[in-house]
Amino acid sequence: MASFDEVVLPGQAGTIKASIHTTSYHGAIQKGITVNHDDGTQGSIMLSVKANIVGSVTVFPYPSLTIAPRMKGMKTPAFLLIRKDDSEKGDLVLDDLKASVPWINVSARKVTSPEPAIEGLPATAAGDYVLSVQAEHPPVGGSSQTISFKTGLAREATFSIPVVVSVRAPIVVQPAELVLQPKAESPDSATGQVLASIRDDLDTKKVAVTSDDKAFVARIENPGERAFRVVVDWTKHGKKPALETKLHINAEGETTEVPVRVATPVAGLPSPAAP
């Protein structure tokens, strides 16, 4: 952010003051400032502000973490190396290590003697810490979380690492809700379908589909390598037939639900909201 003298008289000097919020920055950084003015003889003036941000610790391989765990078999953690900056005094002692959500498990191991590079990390030195980070049953979708800890050092007493978590759904269904449309000539039955695509670590041959109500019979058709169709047949049963249900599409232990309903009004059938 910058502040400046808005009016500078001809032949006089003005002052521009710029500051950089250095939170989450480490090492050499460069920021630009654009100065607009009313001097028609030249265009905008570009200024560059450079800084070298020195913190208490350095994080390898990056000062942030992106993980994209799949819902199936999340057994491999991500690793980060925490190292005290050479310019910092004292000893690095990690304490109060925690994640912003309970489904991120994080633990720390202090390195007591040099170790070779592993799991994308550089070779370690005595006094480093290796963090193990694992997401267990995170919600489907994307979220931004943090890992924080105390360092025991003066310059940065506490330190936070941004963590971006992105989880793909096991099965994506189009449309997300299936509406069955009985025909006027056959109001006691209807058929519809949804198209489904499966995550690439799952097998379409191991997909099963069930319905909450026997009036709706679901089956899988045309399974390909990554996609298939779910066809639903509805048949009227009794005086107050079921007009709503949920399909449960299961792929190797992971389930996606699809609401299904019969369009109303249909002659001789009650509304789904009717008691």
Side-chain angles (χ1 to χ4, degrees), residues 28-210:
I29 63 171
Q30 180 172 320
K31 299 293 181 180
I33 299 175
T34 302
V35 181
N36 297 311
H37 54 81
D38 60 359
D39 184 350
T41 63
Q42 61 178 318
S44 299
I45 301 172
M46 303 299 297
L47 302 178
S48 180
V49 180
K50 298 180 180 180
N52 184 38
I53 311 303
V54 180
S56 289
V57 299
T58 302
V59 182
F60 299 94
Y62 306 104
S64 62
L65 180 63
T66 299
I67 52 179
R70 291 166 173 168
M71 299 295 285
K72 174 190 173 187
M74 296 179 296
K75 298 180 180 180
T76 304
F79 295 98
L80 294 172
L81 175 63
I82 312 299
R83 175 172 295 166
K84 187 186 75 169
D85 189 271
D86 291 338
S87 64
E88 180 65 285
K89 298 179 180 180
D91 294 325
L92 173 62
V93 179
L94 260 65
D95 189 23
D96 196 23
L97 176 64
K98 57 187 177 183
S100 56
V101 288
W103 44 263
I104 293 181
N105 288 338
V106 57
S107 61
R109 176 179 63 86
K110 187 175 182 178
V111 178
T112 57
S113 59
E115 300 172 357
I118 59 168
E119 301 290 346
L121 300 182
T124 63
D128 292 345
Y129 282 82
V130 176
L131 298 189
S132 173
V133 185
Q134 188 168 6
E136 294 190 355
H137 307 294
V140 172
S143 65
S144 297
Q145 308 298 335
T146 58
I147 294 170
S148 62
F149 53 86
K150 295 179 180 178
T151 66
L153 301 171
R155 195 177 294 145
E156 290 178 300
T158 60
F159 194 88
S160 294
I161 301 173
V163 180
V164 176
V165 184
S166 179
V167 181
R168 289 177 55 198
I171 299 172
V172 177
V173 178
Q174 294 292 337
E177 179 187 26
L178 177 60
V179 180
L180 303 179
Q181 301 281 353
K183 297 180 180 180
E185 61 271 21
S186 55
D188 293 346
S189 63
T191 297
Q193 66 179 21
V194 295
L195 300 178
S197 59
I198 194 170
R199 205 174 56 212
D200 55 8
D201 62 315
L202 300 173
D203 187 352
T204 54
K205 297 179 181 178
K206 298 180 180 180
V207 176
V209 57
T210 59

